[in-house]
């Protein structure tokens, strides 16, 4: 590994969004383990979606085995689907997806997205939106494994080109092909300040009361 010190790091806890499936290629599993190694080397705790399968299972087990704290946050309905065997680290079971995202955001100082499906992308995009709105000033990084997120990054650029995303807001999203490069970028991140609403007008403690899903 390239990093050789776990002192003086900017972050103590990072939230990682990732798939409950491993993907079809080994490169995705390798990237999850590599990110886990980087967190361990930097003595950074992991906050994640609580599952023990797919990329979630790989990174959580690596960080736990490396001696760093792991907090999983999972809705009750997903426990039988995403947890297989023993849980890893501390697991908090919540009522719904809104509470899950709010708690993960509260517990973290930065966000990283590994490759994943709709759920990973939805979590990622909500954190990007919250940054644009001024709800948080935390860095957001895409671990762009083998170009997985190239189409999404191109879409963001298209949004700027067509006038739907402010050019300055495009810089909310950091990306890099390796965990080491991404965490280095995130350490140097300068918060986005052109918020839709002043950061001070949002009450971060209220994220825990994020509107719950209603039965329809």
């Amino acid at each position: 590994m390239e990093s050789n010190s776990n002192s003086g790091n900017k972050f103590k806890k990072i939230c990682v969004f990732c798939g409950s499936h491993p993907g079809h290629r080994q490169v995705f599993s390798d990237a999850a383990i590599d990110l886990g190694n980087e967190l361990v080397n930097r003595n950074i705790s992991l906050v994640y979606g609580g599952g023990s399968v797919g990329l979630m299972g790989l990174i959580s087990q690596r960080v736990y085995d490396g001696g760093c704290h792991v907090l999983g946050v999972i809705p009750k309905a997903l426990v039988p689907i995403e947890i297989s065997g023993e849980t890893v680290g501390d697991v908090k079971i919540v009522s719904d997806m809104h509470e899950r995202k709010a708690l993960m955001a509260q517990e973290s100082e930065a966000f990283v997205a590994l490759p994943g499906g709709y759920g990973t992308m939805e979590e990622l995009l909500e954190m990007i939106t919250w940054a644009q709105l001024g709800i948080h000033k935390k860095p957001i990084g895409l671990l762009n494994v083998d170009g997985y997120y190239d189409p999404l990054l191109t879409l963001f650029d298209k949004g700027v080109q067509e006038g739907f995303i402010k050019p300055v807001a495009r810089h909310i999203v950091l990306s890099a092909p390796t965990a080491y490069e991404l965490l280095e970028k995130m350490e140097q991140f300068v918060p986005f300040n052109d918020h839709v609403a002043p950061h001070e007008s949002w009450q971060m403690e209220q994220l825990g009361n994020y509107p719950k899903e209603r039965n329809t």
Side-chain angles (χ1 to χ4, degrees), residues 58-174:
L58 288 173
I59 189 171
S60 60
Q61 192 65 57
R62 179 65 198 95
V63 173
Y64 183 77
D65 289 345
C68 292
H69 184 254
V70 173
L71 172 63
V73 183
I74 187 168
K76 183 178 180 180
L78 293 182
V79 169
I81 300 169
E82 295 187 352
I83 295 181
S84 175
E86 294 185 7
T87 58
V88 178
D90 295 330
V91 175
K92 182 172 180 59
I93 298 174
V94 295
S95 60
D96 55 43
M97 295 295 286
H98 297 309
E99 188 178 356
R100 180 195 216 182
K101 287 179 290 186
L103 182 57
M104 292 169 77
Q106 281 182 322
E107 291 290 335
S108 305
E109 297 165 343
F111 308 96
V112 171
L114 276 162
Y118 290 145
T120 299
M121 294 181 196
E122 187 271 339
E123 291 166 332
L124 166 70
L125 288 168
E126 184 144 14
M127 292 308 110
I128 293 170
T129 301
W130 287 4
Q132 180 176 253
L133 290 173
I135 295 174
H136 73 78
K137 295 185 177 183
K138 303 172 184 180
I140 302 165
L142 281 177
L143 188 50
N144 192 20
V145 181
D146 201 26
Y148 180 79
Y149 281 116
D150 281 351
L152 183 60
L153 293 168
T154 299
L155 179 61
F156 293 160
D157 292 336
K158 182 68 171 176
V160 173
Q161 178 185 337
E162 298 292 354
F164 292 104
I165 299 173
K166 290 183 178 180
V168 67
R170 175 63 180 83
H171 299 294
I172 291 173
V173 185
L174 305 172

